[in-house]
Amino acid sequence: MMELTRKGEYAIRGIVYLAGQPTDCICLLNDIATAVDVPATFLAKIFQQFSKIGLVKSFRGTGGGFVLARSPDKITLLEVVEAVEGRIVPNRCVAGRDECERSVTCHIHPVWQRVQNQVRDVLSAVTLKDLVSE
Amino acid sequence: MMELTRKGEYAIRGIVYLAGQPTDCICLLNDIATAVDVPATFLAKIFQQFSKIGLVKSFRGTGGGFVLARSPDKITLLEVVEAVEGRIVPNRCVAGRDECERSVTCHIHPVWQRVQNQVRDVLSAVTLKDLVSE
DNA sequence: CCCTAAAAAGACATTATTTATCCTTTTAGG
DNA sequence: CCTAAAAGGATAAATAATGTCTTTTTAGGG
Ligand code: SF4
Ligand code: SF4
């Protein structure tokens, strides 16, 4: 339970590396993958997700690659994680539409909401800038 | 990520039910399973784990069954969850012996420790007593 | 002593998720 | 039109979650 997947770990490493590059540098996926030691094909999927939700900008064709869409201090760790893992949900019943008919009277339900809020708060308090500054 | 498994959900439901029974009541596994709507064979495994670490006491043979080993206000939700899910670990590197050679210099590492502490704090603040009292 | 009830233990079977690769398509530059 | 690079889709392999079945141990009661 509660464990970040490889995908999430890779996602963070990849985008943190990108955040650490000079602003005008258009990075190649393969270079990023090599630098952060992640299978390039897997990282490709991750960056596609980033691109779709607008965390990074991508350029195709010759001279293409990736750059951050916003400055590092405007991107939180929460956004990065939820981009690839989906919304952080400590229990099904805390997700949008409940499947659990007990949720109305359940005393545990609010505990999971508390957990969710705490975790999201911690992660949203950290930006990519915090993670690259040595 | 961060999702409680069925096993964890079942574990909570089962032990909360047990906590809600009269103190002297030795409950049959099958009765608990029926009451909380969990496959009996699966719940059996869960209660075996409870028994091993001393959350519940079990009695075998005729007239056997389960009772809580401690009063409900002395058992936290954290204990219950970690009994079946293992220690809450938001990322590998936060587990005992690190596999990640980056952990020494990594700026993300302490974030996961913060997440871990927050989650464990929330769960350890809730006891079975809180969960049964209507 | 034997029979029955009940949990403990171990060995599977099934399904879902994670992790990863490969191939084709689209886009853009030169 | 050729090449570089990301996008997209299909699929394979590995791992983990979920669930079932059978056998073993323990205890009570006739
Ligand atoms: S029983 Fe309570 S905690 Fe469990 S899924 Fe339902 S509402 Fe959520
Ligand atoms: S890179 Fe940092 S956060 Fe990721 S596993 Fe290693 S120590 Fe942990």
Side-chain angles (χ1 to χ4, degrees), chain A residues 4 9 90-91 107 118 133, chain B residues 2 4 9 90-91 107 118 133:
Chain A
L4 191 72
E9 168 73 19
N91 199 358
H107 291 206
Q118 293 285 321
S133 61
Chain B
M2 294 279 160
L4 191 73
E9 168 74 19
N91 199 358
H107 291 207
Q118 292 286 319
S133 61

Side-chain angles (χ1 to χ4, degrees), chain A residues 60-121:
Chain A
R60 287 154 83 144
T62 312
F66 296 92
V67 291
L68 277 196
R70 285 178 262 149
S71 67
D73 63 324
K74 292 284 190 301
I75 297 179
T76 70
L77 190 53
L78 180 66
E79 287 179 279
V80 174
V81 170
E82 292 197 336
V84 296
E85 303 263 22
R87 183 166 244 257
I88 286 172
V89 168
N91 199 358
R92 282 166 245 289
C93 56
V94 182
R97 37 194 175 163
D98 286 344
E99 305 168 31
C100 182
E101 71 287 349
R102 301 160 188 254
S103 64
V104 183
T105 57
C106 175
H107 291 206
I108 314 165
H109 188 75
V111 177
W112 295 126
Q113 291 185 312
R114 226 141 60 219
V115 169
Q116 182 182 44
N117 291 335
Q118 293 285 321
V119 173
R120 298 186 85 242
D121 284 353

Side-chain angles (χ1 to χ4, degrees), chain B residues 13-24:
Chain B
R13 281 199 224 161
I15 203 167
V16 166
Y17 173 85
L18 193 59
Q21 296 305 111
T23 314
D24 56 344

Side-chain angles (χ1 to χ4, degrees), chain B:
Chain B
M1 175 210 188
M2 294 279 160
E3 200 148 338
L4 191 73
T5 63
R6 293 278 167 83
K7 192 173 176 189
E9 168 74 19
Y10 293 167
I12 297 170
R13 281 199 224 161
I15 203 167
V16 166
Y17 173 85
L18 193 59
Q21 296 305 111
T23 314
D24 56 344
C25 170
I26 298 185
C27 295
L28 298 186
L29 180 80
N30 280 299
D31 293 347
I32 304 171
T34 304
V36 299
D37 193 27
V38 169
T41 53
F42 200 3
L43 195 65
K45 301 297 182 190
I46 291 166
F47 270 71
Q48 279 169 31
Q49 292 188 263
F50 284 162
S51 181
K52 259 188 214 158
I53 63 171
L55 277 186
V56 305
K57 278 185 287 195
S58 71
F59 303 96
R60 285 152 84 141
T62 313
F66 295 92
V67 291
L68 277 195
R70 287 178 260 149
S71 67
D73 62 325
K74 291 286 191 300
I75 296 178
T76 69
L77 190 52
L78 180 66
E79 288 180 278
V80 174
V81 170
E82 291 198 336
V84 297
E85 303 262 20
R87 182 166 244 258
I88 287 171
V89 167
N91 199 358
R92 283 165 245 289
C93 57
V94 183
R97 38 192 174 163
D98 286 345
E99 306 168 31
C100 182
E101 72 287 349
R102 301 159 187 255
S103 66
V104 183
T105 57
C106 176
H107 291 207
I108 315 164
H109 188 75
V111 177
W112 295 126
Q113 291 185 312
R114 226 140 62 218
V115 168
Q116 182 183 45
N117 290 336
Q118 292 286 319
V119 173
R120 298 185 86 241
D121 284 353
V122 170
L123 296 184
S124 65
V126 178
T127 70
L128 294 189
K129 189 180 169 206
D130 302 326
L131 298 176
V132 295
S133 61
E134 91 27 284

Side-chain angles (χ1 to χ4, degrees), chain A residues 12-34:
Chain A
I12 297 171
R13 281 200 224 159
I15 204 167
V16 166
Y17 173 85
L18 193 58
Q21 295 307 111
T23 314
D24 56 344
C25 170
I26 298 185
C27 295
L28 296 189
L29 181 81
N30 281 301
D31 293 348
I32 304 171
T34 304

